[in-house]
Amino acid sequence: MTVEITEHAYDRMKERLGWNRKAGQRMANKAYAEGKTHGETRGSLHRYLDSVYLSYGNANQMRIYGEALFIFSGSRLITVYALPTKYRGKKYL
């Protein structure tokens, strides 16, 4: 499945993660298919995702893949965040 990516999401990928369009498309597709969902997280990571989710009214799903948080509306990628340093690692994922 190919994920549709907004211009805003491409801009945030470049700004926050240093990815170009090709890398961004590849990572968005992987995140949508294989990423960890909000419901699969626990503890402080889950609470962090709650706060991010509530700030996006039109988002209906989030995925964590690698060291990035992808926010989707259906199969359309809205924006991308780098995970805070304390959540990067096997302990939370």
Side-chain angles (χ1 to χ4, degrees):
M1 167 176 222
T2 301
V3 173
E4 180 186 348
I5 302 177
T6 63
E7 283 302 315
H8 175 79
Y10 277 125
D11 292 344
R12 297 298 79 80
M13 286 179 191
K14 180 67 175 166
E15 175 187 329
R16 297 173 179 158
L17 301 166
W19 296 343
N20 61 21
R21 285 182 176 264
K22 186 175 178 181
Q25 183 68 57
R26 183 177 64 245
M27 291 299 285
N29 289 337
K30 286 183 176 186
Y32 192 77
E34 304 168 21
K36 192 165 199 158
T37 65
H38 185 193
E40 295 172 336
T41 61
R42 297 288 176 256
S44 65
L45 175 59
H46 189 80
R47 288 188 298 276
Y48 167 73
L49 295 179
D50 285 341
S51 68
V52 173
Y53 184 78
L54 292 174
S55 67
Y56 283 90
N58 59 347
N60 61 9
Q61 56 184 320
M62 298 188 316
R63 298 278 197 276
I64 297 174
Y65 188 79
E67 295 183 351
L69 170 62
F70 297 80
I71 300 177
F72 294 92
S73 177
S75 64
R76 184 178 188 168
L77 181 64
I78 298 172
T79 193
V80 178
Y81 286 104
L83 277 178
T85 306
K86 73 182 212 175
Y87 299 124
R88 296 179 192 171
K90 304 258 186 243
K91 179 180 174 186
Y92 288 97
L93 303 175

Coordinates of all heavy atoms in Angstrom, one line a residue:
M1 N 0.8 -1.2 0.0 CA 0.0 0.0 0.0 C 0.9 1.2 0.0 O 1.9 1.3 0.7 CB -0.9 0.0 1.2 CG -1.6 1.3 1.5 SD -2.7 1.3 2.8 CE -4.0 2.2 2.1
T2 N 0.5 2.2 -0.8 CA 1.3 3.5 -0.8 C 0.5 4.5 0.0 O -0.7 4.7 -0.2 CB 1.4 4.0 -2.3 OG1 2.1 3.0 -3.0 CG2 2.2 5.2 -2.3
V3 N 1.2 5.1 0.9 CA 0.7 6.2 1.7 C 0.8 7.5 1.0 O 1.8 7.8 0.4 CB 1.5 6.2 3.1 CG1 1.0 7.4 3.9 CG2 1.3 4.9 3.8
E4 N -0.3 8.3 1.1 CA -0.3 9.6 0.5 C 0.4 10.5 1.6 O 0.0 10.5 2.8 CB -1.7 10.1 0.2 CG -1.8 11.5 -0.3 CD -3.2 12.0 -0.5 OE1 -4.1 11.2 -0.4 OE2 -3.4 13.2 -0.7
I5 N 1.3 11.4 1.2 CA 2.0 12.2 2.1 C 1.7 13.7 1.8 O 1.9 14.1 0.6 CB 3.5 12.0 2.1 CG1 3.8 10.5 2.4 CG2 4.3 12.9 3.0 CD1 5.2 10.1 2.3
T6 N 1.3 14.5 2.7 CA 1.1 15.9 2.5 C 2.4 16.7 2.4 O 3.4 16.2 2.8 CB 0.3 16.5 3.7 OG1 1.1 16.4 4.9 CG2 -1.0 15.8 3.9
E7 N 2.3 17.9 1.8 CA 3.5 18.7 1.7 C 4.0 19.1 3.1 O 5.2 19.2 3.3 CB 3.2 20.0 0.9 CG 3.1 19.8 -0.6 CD 4.4 19.2 -1.2 OE1 5.5 19.7 -0.8 OE2 4.3 18.3 -2.0
H8 N 3.1 19.3 4.0 CA 3.5 19.6 5.4 C 4.3 18.5 6.0 O 5.4 18.7 6.6 CB 2.3 19.9 6.2 CG 2.6 20.1 7.7 ND1 3.0 21.3 8.2 CD2 2.5 19.2 8.7 CE1 3.3 21.1 9.5 NE2 2.9 19.9 9.9
A9 N 3.9 17.2 5.7 CA 4.7 16.1 6.3 C 6.0 16.0 5.6 O 7.0 15.7 6.3 CB 3.9 14.8 6.0
Y10 N 6.1 16.3 4.3 CA 7.4 16.3 3.6 C 8.3 17.3 4.3 O 9.5 17.1 4.5 CB 7.3 16.5 2.1 CG 7.0 15.3 1.3 CD1 5.9 15.3 0.5 CD2 7.8 14.2 1.4 CE1 5.6 14.2 -0.3 CE2 7.5 13.1 0.6 CZ 6.4 13.1 -0.2 OH 6.1 12.0 -1.0
D11 N 7.8 18.5 4.5 CA 8.6 19.6 5.1 C 9.1 19.2 6.5 O 10.2 19.5 6.9 CB 7.7 20.9 5.2 CG 7.4 21.5 3.8 OD1 8.1 21.1 2.8 OD2 6.5 22.3 3.8
R12 N 8.2 18.6 7.3 CA 8.6 18.2 8.6 C 9.6 17.1 8.6 O 10.5 17.0 9.5 CB 7.4 17.7 9.5 CG 6.3 18.8 9.7 CD 6.8 20.0 10.5 NE 7.5 21.0 9.8 CZ 7.1 21.9 9.0 NH1 5.8 22.0 8.8 NH2 7.9 22.8 8.4
M13 N 9.5 16.1 7.7 CA 10.5 15.1 7.5 C 11.9 15.7 7.3 O 12.9 15.2 7.9 CB 10.2 14.1 6.4 CG 9.1 13.2 6.6 SD 8.8 12.2 5.2 CE 7.3 11.5 5.6
K14 N 12.0 16.6 6.4 CA 13.2 17.3 6.1 C 13.8 18.1 7.3 O 14.9 18.0 7.7 CB 13.1 18.2 4.9 CG 14.3 18.9 4.5 CD 15.3 18.0 3.9 CE 16.5 18.7 3.4 NZ 17.6 17.9 3.1
E15 N 12.9 18.8 7.9 CA 13.3 19.7 9.1 C 13.7 18.9 10.3 O 14.7 19.1 10.9 CB 12.1 20.6 9.4 CG 12.3 21.5 10.6 CD 11.0 22.2 10.9 OE1 10.2 22.5 10.0 OE2 10.8 22.4 12.1
R16 N 12.9 17.9 10.7 CA 13.0 17.2 11.9 C 13.9 16.0 11.9 O 14.5 15.6 12.9 CB 11.7 16.8 12.5 CG 10.8 18.0 12.8 CD 9.4 17.6 13.3 NE 8.7 18.8 13.6 CZ 7.4 18.9 13.6 NH1 6.6 17.8 13.3 NH2 6.8 20.0 13.9
L17 N 13.9 15.3 10.7 CA 14.6 14.0 10.6 C 15.7 14.0 9.5 O 16.5 13.1 9.4 CB 13.6 12.9 10.3 CG 12.5 12.8 11.4 CD1 11.4 11.9 10.9 CD2 13.1 12.2 12.7
G18 N 15.7 15.0 8.6 CA 16.7 15.1 7.6 C 16.5 14.2 6.4 O 17.4 13.8 5.7
W19 N 15.3 13.7 6.2 CA 14.9 12.8 5.1 C 14.5 13.5 3.9 O 13.8 14.5 3.9 CB 13.8 11.9 5.5 CG 14.0 11.0 6.7 CD1 15.2 10.6 7.2 CD2 13.1 10.3 7.5 NE1 15.1 9.8 8.3 CE2 13.8 9.5 8.4 CE3 11.7 10.2 7.4 CZ2 13.1 8.7 9.4 CZ3 11.0 9.4 8.3 CH2 11.7 8.7 9.3
N20 N 14.9 13.0 2.7 CA 14.4 13.5 1.5 C 13.1 12.8 1.1 O 12.6 12.0 1.9 CB 15.5 13.3 0.4 CG 15.8 11.9 0.1 OD1 15.0 11.0 0.4 ND2 16.9 11.6 -0.5
R21 N 12.5 13.2 0.0 CA 11.2 12.6 -0.4 C 11.2 11.1 -0.5 O 10.3 10.4 -0.1 CB 10.7 13.3 -1.7 CG 10.2 14.7 -1.4 CD 9.7 15.3 -2.7 NE 9.2 16.6 -2.4 CZ 7.9 16.9 -2.2 NH1 7.0 15.9 -2.2 NH2 7.5 18.1 -1.9
K22 N 12.2 10.6 -1.2 CA 12.3 9.1 -1.4 C 12.4 8.4 -0.1 O 11.6 7.4 0.1 CB 13.5 8.8 -2.3 CG 13.5 7.4 -2.8 CD 14.7 7.2 -3.7 CE 14.8 5.7 -4.1 NZ 15.9 5.5 -5.0
A23 N 13.2 8.8 0.8 CA 13.4 8.2 2.1 C 12.1 8.3 2.9 O 11.6 7.4 3.6 CB 14.6 8.8 2.8
G24 N 11.5 9.5 2.8 CA 10.2 9.8 3.5 C 9.1 8.9 3.1 O 8.4 8.3 3.9
Q25 N 9.0 8.7 1.8 CA 7.9 7.8 1.2 C 8.2 6.4 1.7 O 7.2 5.7 2.1 CB 7.9 7.9 -0.3 CG 6.8 7.0 -0.9 CD 5.4 7.6 -0.6 OE1 5.1 8.8 -1.0 NE2 4.5 6.8 -0.1
R26 N 9.4 5.9 1.6 CA 9.7 4.5 2.0 C 9.4 4.3 3.5 O 8.8 3.3 3.9 CB 11.2 4.3 1.7 CG 11.6 2.8 2.0 CD 13.1 2.6 1.7 NE 14.0 3.4 2.5 CZ 14.8 4.4 2.0 NH1 14.8 4.6 0.7 NH2 15.6 5.0 2.8
M27 N 9.8 5.3 4.3 CA 9.6 5.1 5.8 C 8.1 5.3 6.1 O 7.7 4.6 7.0 CB 10.4 6.2 6.5 CG 11.9 5.9 6.5 SD 12.4 4.4 7.2 CE 12.3 4.8 8.9
A28 N 7.4 6.1 5.5 CA 6.0 6.3 5.7 C 5.2 5.0 5.4 O 4.4 4.5 6.1 CB 5.4 7.4 4.9
N29 N 5.6 4.3 4.3 CA 5.0 3.1 3.9 C 5.3 2.0 4.9 O 4.4 1.2 5.4 CB 5.4 2.6 2.5 CG 4.9 3.5 1.4 OD1 3.8 4.1 1.6 ND2 5.6 3.5 0.3
K30 N 6.5 1.9 5.4 CA 6.9 0.9 6.4 C 6.2 1.2 7.7 O 5.8 0.3 8.4 CB 8.4 0.9 6.6 CG 9.2 0.3 5.5 CD 10.7 0.2 5.8 CE 11.4 -0.5 4.7 NZ 12.8 -0.7 5.1
A31 N 6.2 2.5 8.1 CA 5.5 2.8 9.4 C 4.0 2.4 9.4 O 3.5 1.9 10.3 CB 5.7 4.3 9.7
Y32 N 3.4 2.7 8.3 CA 1.9 2.4 8.2 C 1.7 0.9 8.2 O 0.8 0.4 8.9 CB 1.4 3.0 6.9 CG -0.1 2.9 6.8 CD1 -0.9 3.9 7.5 CD2 -0.8 2.0 6.1 CE1 -2.3 3.9 7.5 CE2 -2.2 2.0 6.0 CZ -2.9 2.9 6.7 OH -4.3 2.9 6.7
A33 N 2.6 0.1 7.6 CA 2.4 -1.3 7.6 C 2.9 -2.0 8.8 O 2.3 -3.0 9.3 CB 3.1 -1.9 6.3
E34 N 4.1 -1.6 9.3 CA 4.7 -2.4 10.4 C 4.9 -1.6 11.7 O 5.4 -2.2 12.7 CB 6.2 -2.8 9.9 CG 6.2 -3.5 8.6 CD 7.6 -3.6 8.0 OE1 8.5 -3.5 8.7 OE2 7.6 -3.9 6.8
G35 N 4.5 -0.4 11.7 CA 4.8 0.4 12.9 C 4.0 0.0 14.1 O 2.9 -0.6 14.0
K36 N 4.5 0.4 15.3 CA 3.8 0.1 16.5 C 2.7 1.1 16.7 O 2.9 2.3 16.6 CB 4.8 0.2 17.7 CG 4.3 -0.4 19.0 CD 5.4 -0.6 19.9 CE 5.0 -1.5 21.0 NZ 6.0 -2.2 21.6
T37 N 1.5 0.7 17.1 CA 0.3 1.6 17.2 C 0.3 2.2 18.6 O 1.0 1.7 19.6 CB -1.0 0.9 17.0 OG1 -1.2 -0.2 17.9 CG2 -1.0 0.3 15.6
H38 N -0.5 3.2 18.8 CA -0.7 3.8 20.1 C -1.2 2.8 21.1 O -0.8 2.8 22.3 CB -1.8 4.9 19.9 CG -2.0 5.8 21.1 ND1 -3.1 6.6 21.1 CD2 -1.4 5.9 22.2 CE1 -3.1 7.3 22.3 NE2 -2.1 6.9 23.0
G39 N -2.1 1.9 20.7 CA -2.7 0.9 21.7 C -1.7 -0.1 22.1 O -1.9 -0.8 23.1
E40 N -0.6 -0.3 21.4 CA 0.4 -1.3 21.8 C 1.5 -0.7 22.8 O 2.4 -1.4 23.2 CB 1.2 -1.8 20.5 CG 0.3 -2.5 19.6 CD 0.9 -2.9 18.3 OE1 1.9 -2.2 17.9 OE2 0.5 -3.8 17.6
T41 N 1.4 0.6 23.1 CA 2.4 1.2 24.0 C 1.8 1.2 25.4 O 0.6 1.1 25.6 CB 2.7 2.6 23.6 OG1 1.5 3.4 23.6 CG2 3.3 2.6 22.2
R42 N 2.7 1.4 26.4 CA 2.3 1.5 27.8 C 3.1 2.5 28.5 O 4.1 3.0 28.0 CB 2.6 0.1 28.5 CG 1.8 -1.0 28.0 CD 0.3 -0.9 28.3 NE -0.5 -2.0 27.7 CZ -1.3 -1.8 26.7 NH1 -1.4 -0.7 26.1 NH2 -2.0 -2.8 26.2
G43 N 2.7 2.9 29.7 CA 3.4 3.8 30.6 C 3.5 5.2 30.1 O 2.6 5.8 29.5
S44 N 4.7 5.8 30.3 CA 4.9 7.2 30.0 C 4.9 7.5 28.5 O 4.5 8.5 28.0 CB 6.2 7.8 30.6 OG 7.3 7.1 30.1
L45 N 5.3 6.5 27.7 CA 5.3 6.6 26.2 C 3.8 6.7 25.8 O 3.5 7.6 25.0 CB 5.9 5.4 25.5 CG 5.8 5.4 24.0 CD1 6.4 6.7 23.4 CD2 6.5 4.2 23.5
H46 N 2.9 5.9 26.4 CA 1.5 6.0 26.0 C 0.9 7.3 26.4 O 0.1 7.9 25.6 CB 0.8 4.8 26.8 CG -0.6 4.7 26.3 ND1 -1.0 4.0 25.2 CD2 -1.8 5.1 26.9 CE1 -2.3 4.0 25.0 NE2 -2.8 4.7 26.0
R47 N 1.3 7.9 27.5 CA 0.8 9.2 28.0 C 1.3 10.3 27.0 O 0.6 11.2 26.7 CB 1.1 9.5 29.4 CG 0.3 8.6 30.4 CD 0.5 9.0 31.8 NE 1.9 8.8 32.3 CZ 2.4 7.7 32.7 NH1 1.6 6.6 32.8 NH2 3.6 7.6 33.1
Y48 N 2.6 10.2 26.6 CA 3.1 11.1 25.7 C 2.3 11.1 24.4 O 2.0 12.1 23.8 CB 4.6 10.8 25.4 CG 5.2 11.6 24.2 CD1 5.4 12.9 24.3 CD2 5.4 10.9 23.0 CE1 5.9 13.6 23.2 CE2 5.9 11.6 21.9 CZ 6.2 13.0 22.0 OH 6.6 13.6 21.0
L49 N 2.0 9.9 23.9 CA 1.3 9.7 22.6 C -0.1 10.3 22.8 O -0.7 10.9 21.8 CB 1.3 8.3 22.2 CG 2.6 7.7 21.8 CD1 2.5 6.2 21.4 CD2 3.3 8.5 20.7
D50 N -0.7 10.1 24.0 CA -2.1 10.7 24.2 C -2.0 12.2 24.0 O -2.9 12.8 23.4 CB -2.5 10.4 25.7 CG -3.0 9.0 25.9 OD1 -3.3 8.3 24.9 OD2 -3.0 8.6 27.1
S51 N -1.0 12.9 24.6 CA -0.9 14.3 24.5 C -0.7 14.8 23.0 O -1.3 15.8 22.6 CB 0.1 14.9 25.4 OG 1.4 14.5 24.9
V52 N 0.1 14.1 22.3 CA 0.3 14.4 20.9 C -1.0 14.2 20.1 O -1.4 15.0 19.3 CB 1.5 13.6 20.3 CG1 1.6 13.8 18.8 CG2 2.8 14.0 21.0
Y53 N -1.6 13.0 20.3 CA -2.8 12.7 19.6 C -3.9 13.7 19.8 O -4.6 14.1 18.8 CB -3.3 11.3 20.0 CG -4.5 10.8 19.2 CD1 -4.3 10.3 18.0 CD2 -5.8 10.8 19.8 CE1 -5.4 9.8 17.2 CE2 -6.9 10.4 19.1 CZ -6.7 9.8 17.8 OH -7.7 9.4 17.1
L54 N -4.1 14.2 21.0 CA -5.2 15.1 21.3 C -4.9 16.5 20.7 O -5.9 17.3 20.5 CB -5.3 15.3 22.8 CG -5.9 14.0 23.5 CD1 -5.9 14.2 25.0 CD2 -7.3 13.7 23.0
S55 N -3.7 16.8 20.3 CA -3.4 18.1 19.7 C -3.7 18.1 18.2 O -3.7 19.1 17.5 CB -1.9 18.5 19.9 OG -1.1 17.6 19.2
Y56 N -4.0 16.9 17.6 CA -4.4 16.8 16.2 C -5.8 16.3 16.1 O -6.1 15.1 16.2 CB -3.4 15.8 15.4 CG -2.1 16.4 15.2 CD1 -1.1 16.3 16.1 CD2 -1.9 17.2 14.0 CE1 0.1 17.0 15.8 CE2 -0.7 17.8 13.8 CZ 0.3 17.7 14.7 OH 1.5 18.3 14.4
G57 N -6.7 17.2 15.8 CA -8.1 16.8 15.7 C -8.5 15.9 14.6 O -9.4 15.1 14.7
N58 N -7.8 16.0 13.4 CA -8.2 15.2 12.3 C -7.4 14.0 12.1 O -7.5 13.2 11.2 CB -8.1 16.1 11.0 CG -6.7 16.6 10.8 OD1 -5.8 16.6 11.7 ND2 -6.4 17.1 9.6
A59 N -6.5 13.7 13.1 CA -5.7 12.4 13.0 C -6.5 11.3 13.6 O -7.3 11.5 14.6 CB -4.4 12.6 13.8
N60 N -6.4 10.1 13.0 CA -7.2 9.0 13.6 C -6.2 7.8 13.9 O -6.7 6.8 14.3 CB -8.3 8.5 12.7 CG -7.9 8.1 11.3 OD1 -6.7 7.9 11.0 ND2 -8.8 7.9 10.4
Q61 N -4.9 7.9 13.6 CA -4.0 6.9 14.0 C -2.6 7.4 14.0 O -2.3 8.3 13.3 CB -4.1 5.6 13.1 CG -4.0 5.9 11.6 CD -4.2 4.6 10.8 OE1 -3.8 3.6 11.2 NE2 -4.8 4.7 9.7
M62 N -1.8 6.7 14.8 CA -0.4 7.1 14.9 C 0.4 5.8 14.9 O -0.1 4.7 15.3 CB -0.1 7.8 16.3 CG -0.8 9.1 16.4 SD -0.3 10.1 17.9 CE -0.2 8.9 19.2
R63 N 1.6 5.9 14.4 CA 2.5 4.8 14.3 C 3.9 5.2 14.8 O 4.4 6.3 14.4 CB 2.6 4.2 12.9 CG 1.4 3.7 12.3 CD 1.1 2.3 12.8 NE 0.1 1.6 12.0 CZ -1.2 1.7 12.1 NH1 -1.7 2.5 13.0 NH2 -2.0 1.0 11.3
I64 N 4.6 4.3 15.5 CA 6.0 4.6 15.8 C 6.8 3.6 15.0 O 6.5 2.4 15.0 CB 6.3 4.3 17.3 CG1 5.5 5.3 18.2 CG2 7.8 4.4 17.6 CD1 5.6 5.0 19.6
Y65 N 7.8 4.1 14.3 CA 8.6 3.2 13.5 C 10.0 3.8 13.5 O 10.2 5.0 13.2 CB 8.1 3.1 12.0 CG 8.9 2.1 11.2 CD1 8.6 0.7 11.4 CD2 9.9 2.4 10.4 CE1 9.3 -0.2 10.7 CE2 10.6 1.5 9.7 CZ 10.3 0.1 9.8 OH 11.0 -0.8 9.1
G66 N 11.0 3.0 13.9 CA 12.4 3.5 14.0 C 12.4 4.5 15.2 O 11.9 4.2 16.3
E67 N 12.9 5.7 14.9 CA 12.9 6.7 16.0 C 12.0 7.9 15.6 O 12.2 9.0 16.0 CB 14.4 7.2 16.1 CG 15.3 6.1 16.7 CD 16.7 6.6 16.9 OE1 17.0 7.7 16.5 OE2 17.5 5.8 17.5
A68 N 10.9 7.6 14.9 CA 10.0 8.6 14.5 C 8.5 8.2 14.8 O 8.2 7.1 14.9 CB 10.1 8.8 13.0
L69 N 7.7 9.3 15.0 CA 6.3 9.2 15.3 C 5.6 9.7 14.1 O 5.8 10.9 13.7 CB 5.9 9.9 16.5 CG 4.4 10.1 16.8 CD1 3.8 8.7 17.0 CD2 4.2 11.0 18.0
F70 N 4.8 8.9 13.4 CA 4.0 9.2 12.2 C 2.6 9.4 12.6 O 2.0 8.5 13.2 CB 4.2 8.1 11.2 CG 5.6 7.9 10.7 CD1 6.5 7.1 11.4 CD2 6.0 8.4 9.5 CE1 7.7 6.9 11.0 CE2 7.3 8.2 9.0 CZ 8.1 7.4 9.8
I71 N 2.0 10.5 12.2 CA 0.6 10.8 12.5 C -0.2 10.8 11.2 O 0.1 11.5 10.3 CB 0.4 12.2 13.2 CG1 1.2 12.1 14.5 CG2 -1.0 12.5 13.5 CD1 1.2 13.4 15.3
F72 N -1.2 9.9 11.1 CA -2.0 9.6 9.9 C -3.4 10.0 10.1 O -4.0 10.0 11.2 CB -2.0 8.1 9.5 CG -0.6 7.6 9.1 CD1 0.2 7.0 10.1 CD2 -0.2 7.7 7.8 CE1 1.4 6.5 9.7 CE2 1.0 7.1 7.4 CZ 1.8 6.6 8.4
S73 N -4.1 10.4 9.0 CA -5.5 10.5 8.9 C -5.9 9.5 7.8 O -5.7 9.8 6.6 CB -5.9 11.9 8.6 OG -7.3 12.0 8.4
G74 N -6.4 8.4 8.2 CA -6.7 7.3 7.2 C -5.3 6.8 6.7 O -4.4 6.5 7.5
S75 N -5.1 6.8 5.4 CA -3.8 6.4 4.9 C -3.0 7.6 4.4 O -2.0 7.5 3.6 CB -3.9 5.4 3.7 OG -4.6 6.0 2.6
R76 N -3.4 8.8 4.9 CA -2.7 10.0 4.5 C -1.8 10.5 5.7 O -2.3 10.7 6.8 CB -3.7 11.1 4.2 CG -3.2 12.4 3.7 CD -4.3 13.3 3.4 NE -3.7 14.5 2.8 CZ -4.4 15.4 2.1 NH1 -5.7 15.3 2.0 NH2 -3.7 16.4 1.6
L77 N -0.5 10.7 5.4 CA 0.4 11.1 6.5 C 0.3 12.6 6.7 O 0.4 13.4 5.7 CB 1.8 10.8 6.1 CG 2.9 11.1 7.1 CD1 2.7 10.4 8.4 CD2 4.3 10.8 6.6
I78 N 0.0 13.0 7.9 CA -0.2 14.5 8.2 C 1.1 15.1 8.6 O 1.5 16.2 8.1 CB -1.2 14.6 9.3 CG1 -2.6 14.1 8.9 CG2 -1.3 16.1 9.7 CD1 -3.6 14.1 10.0
T79 N 1.8 14.5 9.6 CA 3.1 15.0 10.1 C 3.9 13.9 10.7 O 3.5 12.8 10.9 CB 2.8 16.2 11.1 OG1 4.1 16.9 11.3 CG2 2.3 15.7 12.4
V80 N 5.2 14.3 11.0 CA 6.1 13.4 11.5 C 6.9 14.1 12.6 O 7.2 15.3 12.5 CB 7.1 12.9 10.5 CG1 8.2 12.0 11.1 CG2 6.4 12.2 9.3
Y81 N 7.1 13.4 13.7 CA 8.0 13.9 14.8 C 9.1 12.9 15.1 O 8.9 11.7 15.0 CB 7.2 14.0 16.1 CG 6.2 15.1 16.2 CD1 4.8 14.9 16.1 CD2 6.6 16.4 16.4 CE1 3.9 15.9 16.1 CE2 5.7 17.4 16.5 CZ 4.3 17.2 16.4 OH 3.4 18.2 16.4
A82 N 10.2 13.4 15.5 CA 11.3 12.6 16.1 C 10.8 12.3 17.5 O 10.4 13.1 18.2 CB 12.6 13.3 16.1
L83 N 11.0 11.0 17.9 CA 10.6 10.6 19.2 C 11.6 11.3 20.2 O 12.8 11.4 19.9 CB 10.7 9.1 19.4 CG 9.6 8.3 19.0 CD1 9.9 6.8 19.2 CD2 8.3 8.6 19.7
P84 N 11.1 11.7 21.4 CA 12.0 12.2 22.4 C 13.1 11.2 22.8 O 12.8 10.0 22.7 CB 11.1 12.5 23.6 CG 9.7 12.7 23.0 CD 9.7 11.8 21.8
T85 N 14.2 11.6 23.1 CA 15.4 10.7 23.3 C 15.1 9.6 24.4 O 15.5 8.5 24.2 CB 16.6 11.6 23.8 OG1 16.8 12.6 22.9 CG2 17.8 10.7 23.9
K86 N 14.3 10.0 25.4 CA 14.1 9.0 26.4 C 13.2 7.8 26.0 O 13.2 6.8 26.6 CB 13.5 9.6 27.7 CG 12.1 10.1 27.6 CD 11.7 10.7 28.9 CE 10.2 10.5 29.2 NZ 9.9 11.0 30.5
Y87 N 12.5 7.9 24.8 CA 11.7 6.9 24.3 C 12.3 6.1 23.2 O 11.7 5.2 22.6 CB 10.3 7.4 23.8 CG 9.6 8.1 24.9 CD1 9.1 9.4 24.8 CD2 9.2 7.4 26.1 CE1 8.4 10.0 25.8 CE2 8.5 8.0 27.1 CZ 8.1 9.3 27.0 OH 7.5 9.9 28.0
R88 N 13.5 6.4 22.8 CA 14.2 5.7 21.8 C 15.0 4.6 22.4 O 15.9 4.7 23.1 CB 15.2 6.7 21.1 CG 14.6 7.8 20.4 CD 15.6 8.7 19.8 NE 15.0 9.9 19.3 CZ 15.7 11.0 18.9 NH1 17.0 11.0 18.8 NH2 15.0 12.1 18.5
G89 N 14.6 3.4 22.1 CA 15.3 2.2 22.6 C 14.3 1.1 22.8 O 13.1 1.2 22.8
K90 N 14.8 0.0 23.1 CA 14.1 -1.3 23.3 C 13.2 -1.2 24.6 O 12.2 -1.9 24.6 CB 15.0 -2.4 23.4 CG 16.0 -2.6 22.2 CD 15.5 -3.6 21.3 CE 16.5 -3.8 20.2 NZ 16.1 -3.5 18.9
K91 N 13.5 -0.4 25.6 CA 12.8 -0.4 26.8 C 11.3 0.0 26.5 O 10.4 -0.6 27.1 CB 13.4 0.6 27.7 CG 12.6 0.8 29.1 CD 13.3 1.8 29.9 CE 12.5 2.0 31.2 NZ 13.1 3.1 32.0
Y92 N 11.0 0.9 25.7 CA 9.7 1.4 25.4 C 9.1 0.7 24.2 O 7.8 0.7 24.0 CB 9.6 2.9 25.3 CG 9.8 3.6 26.6 CD1 11.1 4.1 26.9 CD2 8.8 3.8 27.5 CE1 11.3 4.7 28.1 CE2 9.0 4.4 28.7 CZ 10.2 4.9 29.0 OH 10.4 5.5 30.2
L93 N 9.9 0.3 23.3 CA 9.3 -0.3 22.0 C 9.5 -1.8 22.1 O 9.0 -2.6 21.6 CB 10.1 0.3 20.8 CG 10.1 1.8 20.8 CD1 11.0 2.3 19.6 CD2 8.7 2.4 20.6

